[in-house]
Amino acid sequence: AAAVLGHQFAGLPINCEDACDANDDGKINLADSVYLLTYLFTFGAPPASPGPLTDGPDPTDDTLDCVSAGC
């Protein structure tokens, strides 16, 4: 959630846009941070792939990309 906020509001770089799109809507925005914080602190639904529980490519067709070799 901190990386998403840092990217959105301070322009900090991120290595995997797909992993930051926690709600899998094809956009990185404040809703992704809210989704992640809900998952972490109120046991909400886990983020879709790629996420904290699964590696690999994003099965959703969108324009977000991953430049990290670890995804």
Side-chain angles (χ1 to χ4, degrees), residues 1-67:
V4 175
L5 291 171
H7 173 70
Q8 186 176 5
F9 294 108
L12 298 177
I14 53 176
N15 289 331
C16 188
E17 294 175 334
D18 272 334
C20 288
D21 182 20
N23 64 0
D24 206 25
D25 66 354
K27 299 176 273 190
I28 299 174
N29 53 32
L30 188 58
D32 296 304
S33 295
V34 171
Y35 190 99
L36 288 169
L37 292 170
T38 300
Y39 164 67
L40 289 171
F41 295 109
T42 64
F43 306 105
S49 297
L53 303 177
T54 55
D55 291 338
D58 183 358
T60 305
D61 188 28
D62 56 35
T63 60
L64 300 176
D65 197 13
C66 187
V67 296

